[in-house]
Amino acid sequence: MSRVTRTLLVSVFSLAIALPSISAQQAAPLQDPAALPTPKKMDKEQKRKMKKALKELDSTYKQWLNEDVTYIISPEERTAFLQYETNEEREQFIEQFWLRRSPNPDLPDNEFKEEHYRRIAYANEHYASGIPGWKTDRGRMYIVWGPPDEIESHPTGGTYDRPMEEGGGSTTTYPWETWRWRYIEGMGENVIMEFVDPTGSGEYHLTMDPSEKDALLHVPGAGLSLMESMGMASKTDRFTRSDGTNLPTSLGGTPASMNEFTRLEMYAKAFKPPEVKYKDLEALVTARIVRDQVHFNWRTDYLKVTNETVLVPVTIQIPNGQLTFQTKDGVHSATLNIFGRVSTLTGRVVQTFEDPVSKDFPDSLFQQSLKLQSIYQKAVPLRPGLYRLDLVIKDVQSGNVGVINTRLQVPRYDDAKLEASSLILADQIEHVPAKQIGTGQFVLGSSKVRPRMEGDFTTADKLGIYLQVYNLKPDETTHKSNATFQYTVKKGSEQVLQFKENSSEMKQTGDQVTVERLLPLSTLSPGKYSIEISATDTLSNQTITRTADFTVKTPPATKTAANVTPGR
């Protein structure tokens, strides 16, 4: 989950976790490739230096700047890149350039970068017309905004029935295409772009004037609109319009989307580099780079609550050795601030959580505790769908910070078929008192289920297995489900353990059965294993399977995890 460099979220996020301001001594120097200079208006001498720097760039960096990222690099980034004097600085800048745009900078593969170069290759293959595809308007829009949701293509032109807002009537057109995106960030919903090829060369260009595709525009008496054909308007009126089009006069006026300023604004935004969020949660604000300060593991699980609600436990594990402890009266104490935020892909905040957490160890256990892990969990209810999850951990004593940004795909559980929750491998499964049901860390329903994050167990441990199975068909007589559960443990391809049980012996609630088992591992030799659980509904003849990997080791001298207790 960690990477040599991570992006620290500030502004609103930093307020939530009480990040300290950066002092003058801590501020990054101007030549830090991770930081962007404040935009300033350049004088003639500075512009001359920029042109000279561009001319003297090695061909590799010149191609990267003028071809690879020319549509997506901001003016401030371009200026910063041309100010660097060494290739080492330029290489570091390029790395940070892609990191700022990565949906998950903690992963070694940069999805944004891979998608960007895929789009360039696609544009070159599909939109070339005497010039490379990436240089064409269609290629540029595809590279910057991605594939449209809908394309209406007329590669040979032909008869065109104008909509009423364009004057109505029929005409003949040059080749043209209309691209529609349901939503583009910064441009809004239902974004429509029109491309026309008036030369017939295959080079379509983006147009603001819907009449540009009209092949009969300059032919007297041809391609008339409704008002023109009725003698209520003249075709010459088209060439006296002041809104930048040569459209016929419309019977019912023009909609807001046809307004000249709306079209100009859309056209300007279409050619503007996409805004970069620099990993901030809410706006384009300051960013700085955190050099791998706090490593932590995380996982999300999914359990059905209702048809429209899924419980998503977010579990975080931090090595105690990374924390900074203060000693007082023989007790070593560390404090963390944990902040989490779930938002939609359009930026709407859905859930936030924030907890101060603490760890205390006496002198006698302190050195041993540094080898252990601390684990924390927060369960949030969400509707099915795709979200963004942001997690920030700050060590209060040292100020070190760890950041995770990732996608969160909450599944939709179909009532018409057999479904199951995540399979959780746990080091602790125990029932909780009635007053604690459904509340507190690791509590799922009436049980406390603490995940073993790495899946590492010893032969002295018991493998906790937790799984919920939904939509079992009830027997018409007993009103209970009838399902069999088969457990298979494999070491590589070799089956080392298999057994079954029936739902009649298990915890049932309506059409749901919950698997809660503690499997002794004393008979397993050290090594890597997988467990597969297959649930078969004998009444509906449906089967669903969940698998998970785990490792068995020889017993260490100490345990491997300890609960994190929210702030005192």
Side-chain angles (χ1 to χ4, degrees), residues 422-453:
S422 305
L423 173 57
I424 302 175
L425 301 186
D427 55 22
Q428 180 181 0
I429 298 180
E430 60 184 32
H431 294 289
V432 298
K435 64 180 181 180
Q436 296 181 15
I437 290 178
T439 62
Q441 290 193 86
F442 313 111
V443 177
L444 304 177
S446 60
S447 299
K448 182 177 182 179
V449 182
R450 188 175 67 185
R452 179 61 65 88
M453 294 288 288

Side-chain angles (χ1 to χ4, degrees), residues 10 32 35 48 69 83 97 121 147 220 232 279 318 355 387 448 454 479 497 502 511 526:
V10 289
D32 183 358
R48 187 189 65 79
V69 300
Q83 289 177 351
F97 176 90
M232 300 173 64
K279 313 324 295 175
I318 312 103
D355 276 318
Y387 301 90
K448 182 177 182 179
E454 305 93 340
H479 302 292
L497 182 65
N502 191 274
D511 63 354

Side-chain angles (χ1 to χ4, degrees), residues 305-524:
V305 179
T306 68
N307 290 342
E308 291 298 323
T309 306
V310 177
L311 188 67
V312 184
V314 180
T315 309
I316 298 170
Q317 182 169 281
I318 312 103
N320 289 341
Q322 293 192 62
L323 306 182
T324 302
F325 289 85
Q326 286 190 338
T327 305
K328 184 178 180 180
D329 299 329
V331 176
H332 301 263
S333 301
T335 304
L336 297 171
N337 285 340
I338 297 179
F339 183 88
R341 180 171 184 167
V342 180
S343 55
T344 66
L345 298 185
T346 59
R348 182 173 62 87
V349 178
V350 178
Q351 292 277 354
T352 61
F353 55 90
E354 181 179 9
D355 276 318
V357 297
S358 59
K359 292 299 297 179
D360 300 304
F361 298 103
D363 272 332
S364 58
L365 299 177
F366 178 62
Q367 291 302 320
Q368 179 182 342
S369 72
L370 295 179
K371 302 176 183 178
L372 309 183
Q373 310 274 348
S374 293
I375 188 168
Y376 162 91
Q377 186 182 87
K378 187 73 173 185
V380 293
L382 295 171
R383 294 171 63 89
L386 183 61
Y387 301 90
R388 164 175 165 161
L389 172 65
D390 299 286
L391 297 172
V392 171
I393 293 180
K394 179 190 173 187
D395 182 0
V396 174
Q397 305 297 344
S398 67
N400 290 340
V401 175
V403 181
I404 289 291
N405 319 103
T406 187
R407 69 197 298 271
L408 191 63
Q409 180 70 62
V410 180
R412 180 177 297 277
Y413 291 105
D414 189 346
D415 284 341
K417 65 179 183 179
L418 196 64
E419 296 275 18
S421 69
S422 305
L423 173 57
I424 302 175
L425 301 186
D427 55 22
Q428 180 181 0
I429 298 180
E430 60 184 32
H431 294 289
V432 298
K435 64 180 181 180
Q436 296 181 15
I437 290 178
T439 62
Q441 290 193 86
F442 313 111
V443 177
L444 304 177
S446 60
S447 299
K448 182 177 182 179
V449 182
R450 188 175 67 185
R452 179 61 65 88
M453 294 288 288
E454 305 93 340
D456 290 344
F457 296 83
T458 74
T459 53
D461 293 330
K462 291 183 178 180
L463 175 67
I465 304 168
Y466 188 90
L467 178 71
Q468 294 180 354
V469 178
Y470 314 112
N471 304 329
L472 291 162
K473 186 176 180 180
D475 183 270
E476 294 181 358
T477 304
T478 63
H479 302 292
K480 291 186 175 183
S481 60
N482 188 0
T484 59
F485 292 79
Q486 178 170 288
Y487 305 81
T488 304
V489 177
K490 293 182 179 180
K491 187 176 185 181
S493 59
E494 178 188 359
Q495 179 179 307
V496 297
L497 182 65
Q498 188 177 75
F499 62 95
K500 292 183 178 181
E501 63 179 337
N502 191 274
S503 59
S504 60
E505 308 163 2
M506 304 167 68
K507 184 190 293 185
Q508 293 193 34
T509 306
D511 63 354
Q512 175 180 317
V513 169
T514 301
V515 175
E516 294 182 349
R517 291 195 62 90
L518 291 172
L519 181 64
L521 301 176
S522 56
T523 60
L524 300 184

